[in-house]
Amino acid sequence: MTVKLEPYLMMDGNTKDAIEFYKEALGAEVLFLQTFGEMPENPEFPLPEEAKGLVGHAMVRVGETDLMFSDNFPGTPFAVGNQVTICISSTDIERSRQIYEALPVGGQVHMPLTETFFSPAYAVLTDKFGVTWQVYTHANK
């Protein structure tokens, strides 16, 4: 089982510009980029036309560190200073569940631990210190 921490940057519609900037400034290498329009549709959350070209998820590598990015989904509040979260990833669903149960004590769950199209166990929460975490479980390959 592997557990890894990765910075996750939430942008306000300018993820593609930010990635280009980090490519130039830091020599970042794009490992993955997918727009909201390229993701499977969720009937519970219809995708507005203006969101289709926004980045739903991207990963870049700077040296030996991976950074993850996403544009804020239209209609979701955005606050400068709160756009960096920490993604804690695991290769084990049970370990992800333990992390998910421990971190929000005294804090708040924004998205309960659930299976998604990109992860068998994913959640978003804020701990009692105001740090927002994404709990991500890698799918078995």
Side-chain angles (χ1 to χ4, degrees), residues 78-92:
F78 179 83
V80 173
N82 292 335
Q83 71 265 35
V84 178
T85 63
I86 300 172
C87 182
I88 184 164
S89 61
S90 173
T91 56
D92 180 68

Side-chain angles (χ1 to χ4, degrees), residues 38-139:
E38 295 169 328
M39 295 178 164
E41 289 194 41
N42 181 343
E44 294 179 28
F45 299 99
L47 186 64
E49 192 62 37
E50 67 271 17
K52 290 184 178 179
L54 296 176
V55 175
H57 181 71
M59 182 177 285
V60 303
R61 181 163 291 150
V62 178
E64 296 181 15
T65 301
D66 293 340
L67 296 173
M68 292 188 266
F69 291 84
S70 178
D71 280 313
N72 242 22
F73 196 80
T76 305
F78 179 83
V80 173
N82 292 335
Q83 71 265 35
V84 178
T85 63
I86 300 172
C87 182
I88 184 164
S89 61
S90 173
T91 56
D92 180 68
I93 292 174
E94 188 52 40
R95 181 66 177 128
S96 292
R97 188 177 329 282
Q98 292 168 352
I99 293 166
Y100 168 76
E101 290 172 356
L103 278 176
V105 173
Q108 178 183 9
V109 173
H110 304 288
M111 179 180 173
L113 192 69
T114 188
E115 183 176 349
T116 66
F117 75 90
F118 57 86
S119 173
Y122 176 79
V124 180
L125 54 97
T126 300
D127 68 23
K128 65 183 177 182
F129 301 103
V131 177
T132 300
W133 298 82
Q134 296 181 50
V135 179
Y136 174 83
T137 310
H138 292 275

Side-chain angles (χ1 to χ4, degrees), residues 15-45:
T15 293
K16 290 176 183 174
D17 294 337
I19 289 173
E20 286 303 313
F21 174 78
Y22 294 130
K23 282 170 58 177
E24 291 293 319
L26 304 175
E29 172 192 1
V30 177
L31 303 177
F32 179 84
L33 191 144
Q34 184 178 47
T35 65
F36 284 116
E38 295 169 328
M39 295 178 164
E41 289 194 41
N42 181 343
E44 294 179 28
F45 299 99

